[in-house]
Short mmCIF file of all heavy atoms in Angstrom, two decimals:
data_model
loop_
_atom_site.label_atom_id
_atom_site.label_comp_id
_atom_site.label_asym_id
_atom_site.label_seq_id
_atom_site.Cartn_x
_atom_site.Cartn_y
_atom_site.Cartn_z
N MET A 268 11.28 26.72 16.60
CA MET A 268 11.19 25.61 15.58
C MET A 268 9.76 25.10 15.56
O MET A 268 9.28 24.48 16.49
CB MET A 268 12.14 24.48 16.03
CG MET A 268 12.52 23.51 14.90
SD MET A 268 11.29 22.30 14.47
CE MET A 268 11.10 21.36 15.98
N THR A 269 9.03 25.41 14.48
CA THR A 269 7.71 24.90 14.32
C THR A 269 7.56 23.90 13.21
O THR A 269 6.54 23.21 13.13
CB THR A 269 6.66 26.03 14.15
OG1 THR A 269 7.05 26.73 12.96
CG2 THR A 269 6.71 26.99 15.37
N LEU A 270 8.51 23.92 12.26
CA LEU A 270 8.41 23.01 11.09
C LEU A 270 9.03 21.64 11.46
O LEU A 270 10.10 21.53 11.95
CB LEU A 270 9.13 23.61 9.89
CG LEU A 270 8.54 24.95 9.37
CD1 LEU A 270 9.24 25.33 8.08
CD2 LEU A 270 7.02 24.81 9.19
N VAL A 271 8.26 20.60 11.15
CA VAL A 271 8.65 19.25 11.47
C VAL A 271 8.71 18.42 10.17
O VAL A 271 7.71 18.40 9.44
CB VAL A 271 7.67 18.63 12.46
CG1 VAL A 271 8.04 17.17 12.72
CG2 VAL A 271 7.64 19.41 13.76
N PRO A 272 9.85 17.81 9.91
CA PRO A 272 9.99 16.97 8.75
C PRO A 272 9.61 15.50 9.00
O PRO A 272 9.83 15.00 10.09
CB PRO A 272 11.45 17.03 8.42
CG PRO A 272 12.12 17.19 9.75
CD PRO A 272 11.13 17.90 10.65
N THR A 273 8.98 14.91 7.99
CA THR A 273 8.84 13.46 8.03
C THR A 273 9.28 12.91 6.72
O THR A 273 9.26 13.59 5.66
CB THR A 273 7.37 13.01 8.33
OG1 THR A 273 6.54 13.65 7.32
CG2 THR A 273 6.88 13.43 9.67
N ILE A 274 9.79 11.68 6.76
CA ILE A 274 10.30 11.06 5.51
C ILE A 274 9.22 10.16 4.84
O ILE A 274 8.66 9.28 5.54
CB ILE A 274 11.54 10.24 5.78
CG1 ILE A 274 12.62 11.04 6.51
CG2 ILE A 274 12.11 9.57 4.54
CD1 ILE A 274 13.22 12.15 5.70
N ASP A 275 9.03 10.35 3.59
CA ASP A 275 8.21 9.40 2.79
C ASP A 275 9.16 8.26 2.46
O ASP A 275 9.97 8.33 1.52
CB ASP A 275 7.71 10.09 1.57
CG ASP A 275 7.03 9.11 0.58
OD1 ASP A 275 6.91 7.92 0.92
OD2 ASP A 275 6.70 9.55 -0.55
N GLU A 276 9.07 7.19 3.20
CA GLU A 276 10.01 6.11 3.13
C GLU A 276 9.92 5.35 1.76
O GLU A 276 10.87 4.76 1.30
CB GLU A 276 9.86 5.09 4.26
CG GLU A 276 10.19 5.76 5.64
CD GLU A 276 10.17 4.77 6.76
OE1 GLU A 276 9.86 3.56 6.53
OE2 GLU A 276 10.52 5.18 7.87
N VAL A 277 8.74 5.42 1.15
CA VAL A 277 8.58 4.84 -0.19
C VAL A 277 9.33 5.69 -1.22
O VAL A 277 9.92 5.19 -2.17
CB VAL A 277 7.11 4.65 -0.53
CG1 VAL A 277 6.92 4.15 -1.94
CG2 VAL A 277 6.44 3.73 0.47
N GLY A 278 9.22 7.02 -1.05
CA GLY A 278 9.80 7.94 -2.02
C GLY A 278 11.30 8.09 -1.88
O GLY A 278 11.98 8.44 -2.81
N CYS A 279 11.78 7.93 -0.64
CA CYS A 279 13.19 8.21 -0.35
C CYS A 279 14.11 7.23 -1.13
O CYS A 279 13.87 5.99 -1.07
CB CYS A 279 13.48 8.08 1.12
SG CYS A 279 15.22 8.24 1.55
N ALA A 280 15.07 7.76 -1.86
CA ALA A 280 16.02 6.98 -2.62
C ALA A 280 17.40 6.95 -1.99
O ALA A 280 18.34 6.59 -2.65
CB ALA A 280 16.06 7.43 -4.06
N ALA A 281 17.48 7.46 -0.77
CA ALA A 281 18.76 7.41 0.00
C ALA A 281 19.88 8.16 -0.68
O ALA A 281 21.04 7.70 -0.67
CB ALA A 281 19.14 5.95 0.33
N HIS A 282 19.56 9.25 -1.35
CA HIS A 282 20.61 10.09 -1.94
C HIS A 282 21.60 10.60 -0.91
O HIS A 282 22.78 10.75 -1.15
CB HIS A 282 20.03 11.31 -2.67
CG HIS A 282 19.04 10.98 -3.71
ND1 HIS A 282 17.71 10.97 -3.57
CD2 HIS A 282 19.26 10.61 -5.04
CE1 HIS A 282 17.08 10.69 -4.69
NE2 HIS A 282 18.02 10.46 -5.62
N GLY A 283 21.04 10.94 0.28
CA GLY A 283 21.85 11.52 1.36
C GLY A 283 21.98 13.02 1.28
O GLY A 283 22.67 13.61 2.08
N ASP A 284 21.32 13.70 0.35
CA ASP A 284 21.39 15.14 0.20
C ASP A 284 20.91 15.79 1.50
O ASP A 284 21.51 16.81 1.95
CB ASP A 284 20.61 15.68 -0.95
CG ASP A 284 21.11 15.17 -2.29
OD1 ASP A 284 21.76 14.11 -2.30
OD2 ASP A 284 20.90 15.87 -3.31
N CYS A 285 19.88 15.22 2.10
CA CYS A 285 19.34 15.87 3.29
C CYS A 285 20.30 15.73 4.44
O CYS A 285 20.41 16.64 5.29
CB CYS A 285 17.99 15.22 3.66
SG CYS A 285 18.06 13.41 3.91
N VAL A 286 21.06 14.63 4.47
CA VAL A 286 22.03 14.45 5.52
C VAL A 286 23.19 15.43 5.39
O VAL A 286 23.70 15.98 6.37
CB VAL A 286 22.58 12.99 5.54
CG1 VAL A 286 23.62 12.79 6.63
CG2 VAL A 286 21.47 11.98 5.64
N ASP A 287 23.58 15.71 4.09
CA ASP A 287 24.60 16.69 3.88
C ASP A 287 24.16 18.10 4.29
O ASP A 287 24.88 18.90 4.82
CB ASP A 287 24.99 16.72 2.39
CG ASP A 287 25.65 15.41 1.96
OD1 ASP A 287 26.18 14.68 2.82
OD2 ASP A 287 25.67 15.14 0.71
N GLU A 288 22.90 18.36 3.99
CA GLU A 288 22.32 19.68 4.26
C GLU A 288 22.10 19.92 5.74
O GLU A 288 22.41 20.97 6.31
CB GLU A 288 21.02 19.85 3.49
CG GLU A 288 20.30 21.18 3.75
CD GLU A 288 20.57 22.23 2.71
OE1 GLU A 288 20.84 21.83 1.55
OE2 GLU A 288 20.60 23.44 3.06
N ALA A 289 21.60 18.95 6.41
CA ALA A 289 21.28 19.10 7.83
C ALA A 289 21.52 17.78 8.62
O ALA A 289 20.64 17.08 8.97
CB ALA A 289 19.77 19.41 7.96
N PRO A 290 22.85 17.57 8.91
CA PRO A 290 23.21 16.30 9.59
C PRO A 290 22.67 16.15 11.02
O PRO A 290 22.65 15.04 11.52
CB PRO A 290 24.71 16.36 9.57
CG PRO A 290 25.07 17.75 9.36
CD PRO A 290 23.97 18.39 8.56
N GLN A 291 22.26 17.30 11.58
CA GLN A 291 21.65 17.17 12.95
C GLN A 291 20.21 16.74 12.89
O GLN A 291 19.63 16.45 13.90
CB GLN A 291 21.86 18.46 13.73
CG GLN A 291 20.89 19.61 13.31
CD GLN A 291 21.55 20.49 12.21
OE1 GLN A 291 22.11 19.97 11.26
NE2 GLN A 291 21.49 21.81 12.40
N VAL A 292 19.63 16.79 11.68
CA VAL A 292 18.25 16.52 11.54
C VAL A 292 17.95 15.15 10.86
O VAL A 292 17.07 14.42 11.28
CB VAL A 292 17.51 17.59 10.74
CG1 VAL A 292 16.02 17.36 10.63
CG2 VAL A 292 17.75 18.98 11.32
N PHE A 293 18.82 14.82 9.88
CA PHE A 293 18.58 13.64 9.11
C PHE A 293 19.83 12.71 9.17
O PHE A 293 20.95 13.17 9.25
CB PHE A 293 18.32 13.99 7.60
CG PHE A 293 17.17 14.92 7.43
CD1 PHE A 293 17.44 16.29 7.21
CD2 PHE A 293 15.85 14.45 7.41
CE1 PHE A 293 16.35 17.15 7.05
CE2 PHE A 293 14.78 15.35 7.20
CZ PHE A 293 15.04 16.71 7.02
N ALA A 294 19.54 11.41 9.07
CA ALA A 294 20.55 10.40 8.95
C ALA A 294 20.07 9.29 8.03
O ALA A 294 18.92 9.15 7.84
CB ALA A 294 20.95 9.79 10.28
N LEU A 295 21.01 8.63 7.40
CA LEU A 295 20.70 7.51 6.56
C LEU A 295 20.66 6.24 7.47
O LEU A 295 21.58 5.98 8.23
CB LEU A 295 21.61 7.34 5.45
CG LEU A 295 21.41 8.27 4.21
CD1 LEU A 295 22.50 7.94 3.17
CD2 LEU A 295 20.03 8.11 3.64
N ASN A 296 19.57 5.46 7.30
CA ASN A 296 19.46 4.21 8.04
C ASN A 296 19.19 3.13 6.98
O ASN A 296 18.05 2.88 6.61
CB ASN A 296 18.31 4.34 9.03
CG ASN A 296 18.15 3.02 9.84
OD1 ASN A 296 18.96 2.14 9.73
ND2 ASN A 296 17.13 2.95 10.67
N GLY A 297 20.26 2.57 6.53
CA GLY A 297 20.13 1.59 5.40
C GLY A 297 19.75 2.34 4.14
O GLY A 297 20.45 3.23 3.72
N GLN A 298 18.60 1.96 3.55
CA GLN A 298 18.23 2.51 2.29
C GLN A 298 17.18 3.56 2.42
O GLN A 298 16.44 3.92 1.43
CB GLN A 298 17.65 1.36 1.43
CG GLN A 298 18.73 0.39 0.99
CD GLN A 298 19.91 1.06 0.24
OE1 GLN A 298 19.73 1.73 -0.73
NE2 GLN A 298 21.14 0.89 0.78
N VAL A 299 17.06 4.13 3.63
CA VAL A 299 16.09 5.20 3.83
C VAL A 299 16.65 6.22 4.83
O VAL A 299 17.43 5.89 5.71
CB VAL A 299 14.76 4.59 4.37
CG1 VAL A 299 14.86 4.06 5.76
CG2 VAL A 299 13.56 5.53 4.21
N ALA A 300 16.21 7.44 4.63
CA ALA A 300 16.59 8.52 5.60
C ALA A 300 15.63 8.45 6.77
O ALA A 300 14.49 7.97 6.65
CB ALA A 300 16.52 9.86 4.90
N GLU A 301 16.12 8.96 7.90
CA GLU A 301 15.28 9.05 9.06
C GLU A 301 15.53 10.41 9.76
O GLU A 301 16.59 10.97 9.57
CB GLU A 301 15.49 7.89 10.05
CG GLU A 301 16.88 7.83 10.62
CD GLU A 301 17.03 6.67 11.61
OE1 GLU A 301 16.06 5.95 11.86
OE2 GLU A 301 18.15 6.50 12.15
N VAL A 302 14.52 10.84 10.48
CA VAL A 302 14.65 12.10 11.18
C VAL A 302 15.22 11.77 12.56
O VAL A 302 14.72 10.92 13.30
CB VAL A 302 13.27 12.78 11.36
CG1 VAL A 302 13.40 14.04 12.21
CG2 VAL A 302 12.72 13.13 9.97
N ILE A 303 16.37 12.37 12.87
CA ILE A 303 17.03 12.09 14.16
C ILE A 303 17.10 13.29 15.10
O ILE A 303 17.54 13.13 16.21
CB ILE A 303 18.49 11.60 13.89
CG1 ILE A 303 19.27 12.69 13.16
CG2 ILE A 303 18.53 10.30 13.16
CD1 ILE A 303 20.79 12.45 13.22
N GLY A 304 16.59 14.41 14.60
CA GLY A 304 16.60 15.58 15.47
C GLY A 304 15.79 16.72 14.90
O GLY A 304 15.07 16.50 14.02
N SER A 305 16.03 17.89 15.44
CA SER A 305 15.33 19.07 14.97
C SER A 305 16.30 20.15 14.57
O SER A 305 17.48 20.04 14.85
CB SER A 305 14.32 19.56 16.00
OG SER A 305 15.04 19.89 17.17
N GLY A 306 15.77 21.14 13.95
CA GLY A 306 16.61 22.28 13.51
C GLY A 306 15.78 23.48 13.17
O GLY A 306 14.55 23.40 13.27
N PRO A 307 16.49 24.55 12.77
CA PRO A 307 15.75 25.78 12.38
C PRO A 307 14.81 25.56 11.22
O PRO A 307 15.07 24.73 10.35
CB PRO A 307 16.89 26.74 12.02
CG PRO A 307 18.10 26.17 12.53
CD PRO A 307 17.90 24.68 12.67
N ASP A 308 13.69 26.28 11.20
CA ASP A 308 12.72 26.13 10.14
C ASP A 308 13.30 26.24 8.76
O ASP A 308 13.00 25.45 7.85
CB ASP A 308 11.58 27.16 10.32
CG ASP A 308 10.72 26.85 11.51
OD1 ASP A 308 10.83 25.78 12.07
OD2 ASP A 308 9.86 27.73 11.86
N ASP A 309 14.17 27.25 8.58
CA ASP A 309 14.69 27.52 7.24
C ASP A 309 15.59 26.33 6.80
O ASP A 309 15.64 26.03 5.59
CB ASP A 309 15.47 28.83 7.12
CG ASP A 309 16.58 28.99 8.16
OD1 ASP A 309 16.66 28.16 9.09
OD2 ASP A 309 17.34 29.95 7.98
N LEU A 310 16.29 25.72 7.71
CA LEU A 310 17.11 24.55 7.39
C LEU A 310 16.25 23.34 7.01
O LEU A 310 16.54 22.68 6.03
CB LEU A 310 17.98 24.20 8.56
CG LEU A 310 19.01 23.06 8.35
CD1 LEU A 310 20.01 23.42 7.28
CD2 LEU A 310 19.70 22.69 9.64
N ILE A 311 15.22 23.12 7.77
CA ILE A 311 14.28 21.99 7.43
C ILE A 311 13.68 22.18 6.02
O ILE A 311 13.60 21.26 5.22
CB ILE A 311 13.11 21.99 8.46
CG1 ILE A 311 13.63 21.82 9.90
CG2 ILE A 311 12.10 20.93 8.10
CD1 ILE A 311 14.09 20.50 10.26
N LEU A 312 13.25 23.42 5.76
CA LEU A 312 12.63 23.70 4.47
C LEU A 312 13.64 23.57 3.34
O LEU A 312 13.34 23.03 2.26
CB LEU A 312 12.02 25.10 4.46
CG LEU A 312 10.85 25.39 3.64
CD1 LEU A 312 9.74 24.30 3.76
CD2 LEU A 312 10.23 26.75 3.92
N ALA A 313 14.87 24.05 3.61
CA ALA A 313 15.88 24.01 2.54
C ALA A 313 16.23 22.53 2.21
O ALA A 313 16.39 22.12 1.02
CB ALA A 313 17.14 24.70 2.97
N ALA A 314 16.30 21.72 3.22
CA ALA A 314 16.62 20.28 3.02
C ALA A 314 15.45 19.62 2.29
O ALA A 314 15.70 18.80 1.35
CB ALA A 314 16.85 19.59 4.41
N ALA A 315 14.25 19.96 2.64
CA ALA A 315 13.13 19.39 1.93
C ALA A 315 13.11 19.78 0.44
O ALA A 315 12.86 18.92 -0.43
CB ALA A 315 11.78 19.78 2.61
N LYS A 316 13.36 21.06 0.19
CA LYS A 316 13.32 21.53 -1.21
C LYS A 316 14.49 20.99 -2.01
O LYS A 316 14.46 20.90 -3.22
CB LYS A 316 13.32 23.02 -1.21
CG LYS A 316 12.02 23.62 -0.77
CD LYS A 316 11.99 25.14 -0.79
CE LYS A 316 10.61 25.69 -0.39
NZ LYS A 316 10.60 27.18 -0.36
N GLY A 317 15.56 20.54 -1.29
CA GLY A 317 16.74 20.00 -1.97
C GLY A 317 16.66 18.49 -2.19
O GLY A 317 17.53 17.94 -2.87
N CYS A 318 15.65 17.85 -1.67
CA CYS A 318 15.52 16.43 -1.86
C CYS A 318 15.13 16.08 -3.25
O CYS A 318 14.05 16.55 -3.73
CB CYS A 318 14.44 15.86 -0.87
SG CYS A 318 14.10 14.11 -1.20
N PRO A 319 15.97 15.38 -3.99
CA PRO A 319 15.67 15.05 -5.42
C PRO A 319 14.41 14.26 -5.59
O PRO A 319 13.81 14.25 -6.69
CB PRO A 319 16.93 14.28 -5.85
CG PRO A 319 17.99 14.59 -4.90
CD PRO A 319 17.25 14.81 -3.59
N SER A 320 13.97 13.57 -4.56
CA SER A 320 12.83 12.71 -4.67
C SER A 320 11.55 13.31 -4.12
O SER A 320 10.49 12.70 -4.06
CB SER A 320 13.06 11.30 -3.99
OG SER A 320 14.11 10.65 -4.64
N VAL A 321 11.68 14.53 -3.58
CA VAL A 321 10.59 15.19 -2.86
C VAL A 321 9.98 14.26 -1.87
O VAL A 321 8.79 14.07 -1.77
CB VAL A 321 9.49 15.69 -3.87
CG1 VAL A 321 8.59 16.75 -3.19
CG2 VAL A 321 10.08 16.30 -5.11
N ALA A 322 10.86 13.71 -1.02
CA ALA A 322 10.48 12.68 -0.10
C ALA A 322 10.44 13.22 1.34
O ALA A 322 10.29 12.44 2.29
CB ALA A 322 11.38 11.48 -0.20
N ILE A 323 10.68 14.50 1.49
CA ILE A 323 10.62 15.07 2.82
C ILE A 323 9.34 15.94 2.95
O ILE A 323 9.21 16.92 2.19
CB ILE A 323 11.87 16.00 3.15
CG1 ILE A 323 13.12 15.09 3.04
CG2 ILE A 323 11.71 16.61 4.48
CD1 ILE A 323 14.42 15.87 3.16
N ILE A 324 8.44 15.54 3.78
CA ILE A 324 7.21 16.27 3.95
C ILE A 324 7.40 17.15 5.22
O ILE A 324 7.80 16.68 6.27
CB ILE A 324 6.06 15.27 4.18
CG1 ILE A 324 5.93 14.39 2.95
CG2 ILE A 324 4.75 15.97 4.49
CD1 ILE A 324 5.39 12.97 3.25
N VAL A 325 7.05 18.41 5.04
CA VAL A 325 7.23 19.37 6.10
C VAL A 325 5.86 19.85 6.59
O VAL A 325 5.04 20.30 5.86
CB VAL A 325 8.06 20.59 5.70
CG1 VAL A 325 8.20 21.57 6.82
CG2 VAL A 325 9.40 20.12 5.13
N THR A 326 5.69 19.70 7.91
CA THR A 326 4.42 20.10 8.55
C THR A 326 4.69 21.17 9.58
O THR A 326 5.67 21.16 10.30
CB THR A 326 3.82 18.85 9.28
OG1 THR A 326 3.62 17.81 8.27
CG2 THR A 326 2.45 19.15 9.83
N ASP A 327 3.80 22.14 9.66
CA ASP A 327 3.86 23.16 10.68
C ASP A 327 3.22 22.59 11.93
O ASP A 327 1.98 22.37 11.94
CB ASP A 327 3.16 24.42 10.20
CG ASP A 327 3.30 25.63 11.17
OD1 ASP A 327 3.43 25.39 12.37
OD2 ASP A 327 3.22 26.76 10.71
N SER A 328 3.99 22.43 12.95
CA SER A 328 3.50 21.76 14.21
C SER A 328 2.49 22.63 14.89
O SER A 328 1.70 22.18 15.72
CB SER A 328 4.60 21.36 15.13
OG SER A 328 5.33 22.48 15.53
N ALA A 329 2.55 23.93 14.64
CA ALA A 329 1.62 24.88 15.33
C ALA A 329 0.21 24.75 14.75
O ALA A 329 -0.76 24.87 15.46
CB ALA A 329 2.14 26.29 15.19
N THR A 330 0.11 24.57 13.44
CA THR A 330 -1.21 24.56 12.77
C THR A 330 -1.61 23.18 12.26
O THR A 330 -2.77 22.94 11.97
CB THR A 330 -1.20 25.52 11.56
OG1 THR A 330 -0.25 25.04 10.57
CG2 THR A 330 -0.78 26.95 11.96
N GLY A 331 -0.58 22.31 12.16
CA GLY A 331 -0.90 20.98 11.59
C GLY A 331 -0.91 20.95 10.04
O GLY A 331 -1.14 19.94 9.43
N ASP A 332 -0.71 22.12 9.46
CA ASP A 332 -0.71 22.22 7.98
C ASP A 332 0.55 21.73 7.35
O ASP A 332 1.62 21.86 7.90
CB ASP A 332 -0.89 23.68 7.58
CG ASP A 332 -2.24 24.25 7.96
OD1 ASP A 332 -3.20 23.47 8.14
OD2 ASP A 332 -2.36 25.51 7.99
N GLN A 333 0.36 21.02 6.20
CA GLN A 333 1.52 20.60 5.41
C GLN A 333 2.04 21.78 4.70
O GLN A 333 1.31 22.45 3.96
CB GLN A 333 1.12 19.50 4.49
CG GLN A 333 2.34 18.95 3.63
CD GLN A 333 2.01 17.74 2.85
OE1 GLN A 333 1.29 16.85 3.35
NE2 GLN A 333 2.44 17.64 1.61
N VAL A 334 3.31 22.13 4.90
CA VAL A 334 3.93 23.32 4.27
C VAL A 334 4.63 23.00 2.99
O VAL A 334 4.65 23.80 2.04
CB VAL A 334 4.92 23.93 5.32
CG1 VAL A 334 5.67 25.08 4.67
CG2 VAL A 334 4.24 24.38 6.57
N TYR A 335 5.17 21.78 2.90
CA TYR A 335 5.90 21.36 1.69
C TYR A 335 5.81 19.87 1.60
O TYR A 335 5.96 19.19 2.64
CB TYR A 335 7.34 21.86 1.81
CG TYR A 335 8.16 21.54 0.49
CD1 TYR A 335 8.15 22.42 -0.56
CD2 TYR A 335 8.91 20.35 0.41
CE1 TYR A 335 8.82 22.13 -1.77
CE2 TYR A 335 9.61 20.13 -0.79
CZ TYR A 335 9.54 20.99 -1.81
OH TYR A 335 10.25 20.67 -3.00
N PRO A 336 5.71 19.23 0.40
CA PRO A 336 5.60 19.94 -0.92
C PRO A 336 4.14 20.37 -1.11
O PRO A 336 3.26 19.94 -0.43
CB PRO A 336 5.96 18.85 -1.93
CG PRO A 336 5.62 17.55 -1.21
CD PRO A 336 5.84 17.80 0.26
S1 LIG B 252 17.53 13.69 0.14
FE1 LIG B 252 15.48 12.83 -0.04
S2 LIG B 252 15.73 10.88 -1.16
FE2 LIG B 252 17.74 11.57 -0.43
S3 LIG B 252 18.06 10.56 1.57
FE3 LIG B 252 17.15 12.55 1.95
S4 LIG B 252 14.90 12.16 2.06
FE4 LIG B 252 15.88 10.41 1.03
#
């Protein structure tokens, strides 16, 4: 697991799609999602690409590069 998600709390609209996609990684905390765990890279990326608000930023922890969006 090298991909790490962070939530853009301003952009997050609390749809909950990320929680549905990866409940071990994301949870809703009031009106914003939060990262509660880790998961496989493909799951992190799929959840990020599925976010309607593009509010999940994915970084490669090995290189520090932003992978998505
Ligand atoms: S899918 Fe995106 S907008 Fe919806 S709760 Fe998750 S991070 Fe927030």
Side-chain angles (χ1 to χ4, degrees):
M268 200 283 298
T269 60
L270 297 186
V271 176
T273 55
I274 304 293
D275 171 5
E276 295 188 357
V277 176
C279 176
H282 301 98
D284 296 25
C285 57
V286 181
D287 293 340
E288 177 95 31
Q291 74 271 46
V292 181
F293 302 99
L295 281 180
N296 181 7
Q298 293 303 305
V299 70
E301 63 179 359
V302 177
I303 59 165
S305 60
D308 288 349
D309 57 349
L310 183 65
I311 302 284
L312 209 48
K316 290 180 175 178
C318 172
S320 298
V321 197
I323 300 174
I324 299 152
V325 181
T326 304
D327 186 330
S328 63
T330 64
D332 293 339
Q333 183 172 319
V334 175
Y335 185 85

